Amino acid sequence: MPHTTDKRISKELARLLYLGQSQGKSGRPTLDSTDSGQLAFQALLFECLMSNREHPHPLEQPRKSAMASISGYLNGICHQPGHLEIHTNTACRVASRILPFLHEDHGVCGIPGLRLIDFTCRRVRLIHVPTGGRLDLVDAQRWQGMDIARMVFRQETDWHEEDGRAPLWRHNGLTNEESAHRACWAYTASTPLRSALLMRSMPLWYRFDLEPAWVTGHPTRPDRLILDAHSDTDHDRVVELLARSAARIPGVLYREKTRCSGILELGAGSVQLISEL
């Protein structure tokens, strides 16, 4: 029966993707957005989170792993009507690491165009101005009153104002420095694939204990998702998750090239999936 099938699939998706009760409704969870702006923002967020010391994202802070370390604070990533919801141990800290910051030597770090809407005792609400994409960071615990919430947010973000700086995220519109990065959020053939990979990232970090890195390609080399595999079975497990499991990306195809590499294709977008032992 449809109801029984949906319940079984919902339970399996919750197990695979660490959804828990985060979607807050019964029935089969919706994993992916259909809004082009939301997809473009999520694709950029995916790139920023999928980085490590060996392959830092260009928007990462120099000599730090601010965005690359965010995965260690996450409890779940899920789609909600109109926004992306990320459940975390410390919403204010995650916000401080993805909100844009103008480094005097490196330029813009964090996500250009990301702005604070507001925050509550448990939630930090953000919007990406160029795409209209929305992100809510939901804390594992609720602070006891807004005075404490304001203090925690201020403590986590005060480094944005060191030496009298005016934080980029306090501007209503895009600054010139941020506008120079507009290619980062442009909608491309790989946007739906990158967004879909974001929604299925939790098991890569937690169940498979990987540190994946997205490396943007160029005309002679495709985009790559590099996995620091512990054994040659890790690659098979990742392919099973993304292309064959209940949490598979709808419409995705996987074309194996070697035992530990292949091409993931979704529509006109593709990425070379490589496991490095």
Side-chain angles (χ1 to χ4, degrees), residues 184-225:
C184 292
W185 60 79
Y187 194 101
T188 69
S190 72
T191 293
L193 178 57
R194 284 178 285 142
S195 177
L197 288 169
L198 173 70
M199 306 309 295
R200 293 154 181 85
S201 295
M202 288 296 294
L204 303 186
W205 293 314
Y206 285 79
R207 181 167 294 111
F208 306 147
D209 192 28
L210 303 173
E211 292 185 5
W214 177 275
V215 180
T216 302
H218 49 67
T220 61
R221 188 180 69 187
D223 294 336
R224 293 175 294 160
L225 182 59

Side-chain angles (χ1 to χ4, degrees), residues 32-48 57 59 84 111-112 114 127-135 181-196 198-199 214:
D32 300 293
S33 176
T34 58
D35 178 79
S36 60
Q38 188 70 35
L39 289 173
F41 167 62
Q42 292 178 184
L44 172 56
L45 179 60
F46 168 75
E47 288 189 33
C48 291
H57 192 275
L59 292 170
L84 175 69
I111 299 181
L114 193 63
I127 185 169
H128 187 241
V129 173
T131 62
R134 278 281 320 280
L135 169 63
H181 293 275
R182 62 178 68 253
C184 292
W185 60 79
Y187 194 101
T188 69
S190 72
T191 293
L193 178 57
R194 284 178 285 142
S195 177
L198 173 70
M199 306 309 295
W214 177 275

Side-chain angles (χ1 to χ4, degrees), residues 128-269:
H128 187 241
V129 173
T131 62
R134 278 281 320 280
L135 169 63
D136 280 18
L137 300 169
V138 185
D139 238 317
Q141 65 176 339
R142 183 183 301 276
W143 300 111
Q144 299 300 311
M146 281 301 297
D147 286 344
I148 296 178
R150 280 188 286 268
M151 179 188 70
V152 172
F153 184 83
R154 185 171 58 252
Q155 287 175 341
E156 293 290 355
T157 60
D158 62 1
W159 59 271
H160 284 255
E161 303 183 54
E162 288 179 354
D163 301 322
R165 294 187 184 95
L168 290 179
W169 45 272
R170 293 199 186 278
H171 291 261
N172 291 326
L174 286 180
T175 65
N176 292 334
E177 294 88 352
E178 292 173 296
S179 295
H181 293 275
R182 62 178 68 253
C184 292
W185 60 79
Y187 194 101
T188 69
S190 72
T191 293
L193 178 57
R194 284 178 285 142
S195 177
L197 288 169
L198 173 70
M199 306 309 295
R200 293 154 181 85
S201 295
M202 288 296 294
L204 303 186
W205 293 314
Y206 285 79
R207 181 167 294 111
F208 306 147
D209 192 28
L210 303 173
E211 292 185 5
W214 177 275
V215 180
T216 302
H218 49 67
T220 61
R221 188 180 69 187
D223 294 336
R224 293 175 294 160
L225 182 59
I226 301 173
L227 310 172
D228 62 325
H230 308 293
S231 70
D232 56 7
T233 60
D234 284 343
H235 192 85
D236 294 337
R237 297 166 74 195
V238 172
V239 172
E240 175 70 21
L241 171 77
L242 299 176
R244 304 186 189 110
S245 72
R248 64 187 177 276
I249 301 171
V252 79
L253 296 174
Y254 179 71
R255 304 186 188 279
E256 183 177 89
K257 296 184 68 177
T258 69
R259 181 71 175 82
C260 293
S261 70
I263 302 294
L264 274 175
E265 299 177 348
L266 181 63

Side-chain angles (χ1 to χ4, degrees), residues 59-62 64-67 69-70 73 90-104 106-111 151-170:
L59 292 170
E60 181 65 279
Q61 293 185 47
K64 291 185 179 180
S65 297
M67 292 191 293
S69 63
I70 284 175
Y73 298 109
T90 170
C92 295
R93 181 167 300 171
V94 172
S96 76
R97 296 186 180 194
I98 60 175
L99 283 167
F101 170 75
L102 188 58
H103 190 279
E104 61 272 17
H106 188 73
V108 177
C109 304
I111 299 181
M151 179 188 70
V152 172
F153 184 83
R154 185 171 58 252
Q155 287 175 341
E156 293 290 355
T157 60
D158 62 1
W159 59 271
H160 284 255
E161 303 183 54
E162 288 179 354
D163 301 322
R165 294 187 184 95
L168 290 179
W169 45 272
R170 293 199 186 278

Side-chain angles (χ1 to χ4, degrees), residues 17-20 22 73-78 84-88 136 138 202 206:
L17 301 180
Y18 298 82
L19 294 179
S22 58
Y73 298 109
L74 305 188
N75 300 322
I77 302 174
C78 66
L84 175 69
E85 197 165 89
I86 293 183
H87 290 247
T88 170
D136 280 18
V138 185
M202 288 296 294
Y206 285 79

